[in-house]
Amino acid sequence: MIAGTRLLPFLCALLLTGCASSTFTTTWKTPDATPLGFKGEKVVAAVLMKDPAARKLAEDRLAMQISMRGAEGRTLYSLVPDATPGNEAQAKAALEAAGVKGAVVMRPVHVDRTVTVTEPYEAETYASFWGGYYGYGVSLSYSSPREATVNEKMVVYVETLVYSLEQNKLVWGGLSTSEDPDTLAQLIEELSVAAAAELEKQGLIKAR
């Protein structure tokens, strides 16, 4: 497993071809969950990555998605700009002073990379041994391999958690997979949309 803090080269530097496909493979909600009263309230977007630039980009995108769903999306980096990493008391005081009622947290937890190499295969060349395969095979055994096709596939696993800060309680959580994301921004936006759909399905937020 690759630690979340080591995912930056995959999430920020790689611009892959194709479209991302984000799916929640596992979800959970508290048994006594009731609809979240976040409409018009401040909800903080927190993306747990060590790289400041990547974190700001991701939190901006997530806060935008939160605001599009009726709450007032705020970013953790703007509310706690000078926080010491891991200083819970400092972060708690800042969010309480700002009147934040909820939190949506995303954390990259794992990346799977699969590389497939496919070399051309021409079986018809092997129809006869003499006057066919023998000369062909011997010539190739002393030369460089023929040009191969290389395909790379990346799957990113992200944990998404929704908290009611008034109750200091986890309301909903999910683990998602995203295949071949084009950019970090696209990944966050797709997961935000997918999470909203799951929360609506669970009756935790109302469709606008």
Side-chain angles (χ1 to χ4, degrees), residues 30-198:
T30 183
D32 57 348
T34 57
L36 296 170
F38 286 167
K39 186 174 183 180
E41 300 288 355
K42 295 177 182 177
V43 176
V44 69
V47 180
L48 305 184
M49 302 177 65
K50 283 194 172 181
D51 181 84
R55 175 192 165 199
K56 287 182 179 181
L57 170 63
E59 288 188 358
D60 284 340
R61 296 288 184 167
L62 181 54
M64 183 187 304
Q65 291 295 326
I66 291 171
S67 295
M68 289 173 62
R69 285 161 179 80
E72 183 184 336
R74 302 291 297 274
T75 58
L76 184 61
Y77 77 81
S78 66
L79 293 174
V80 197
D82 301 316
T84 302
N87 190 326
E88 181 177 304
Q90 188 178 15
K92 184 174 183 289
L95 267 59
E96 288 180 348
V100 176
K101 302 299 183 183
V104 179
V105 184
M106 288 186 177
R107 181 174 68 93
V109 294
H110 182 60
V111 164
D112 281 337
R113 298 180 71 194
T114 303
V115 178
T116 304
V117 180
T118 305
E119 294 188 15
Y121 184 71
E122 301 170 356
E124 64 272 14
T125 310
Y126 308 159
S128 60
F129 186 71
W130 302 120
Y133 179 76
Y134 182 80
Y136 172 81
V138 169
S139 66
L140 281 184
S141 67
Y142 293 102
S143 65
S144 301
R146 292 173 295 173
E147 184 176 351
T149 301
V150 180
N151 294 308
E152 183 176 18
K153 176 181 176 182
M154 180 174 72
V155 178
V156 182
Y157 296 79
V158 178
E159 176 182 69
T160 302
L161 304 172
V162 178
Y163 283 92
S164 168
L165 296 187
E166 286 185 303
Q167 304 174 66
N168 189 30
K169 185 176 184 179
L170 176 65
V171 177
W172 181 89
L175 182 67
S176 61
T177 60
S178 298
E179 184 175 315
D180 288 344
D182 288 322
T183 63
L184 176 61
Q186 181 200 18
L187 175 61
I188 294 298
E189 288 181 357
E190 287 203 359
L191 290 178
S192 301
V193 172
E198 286 291 327

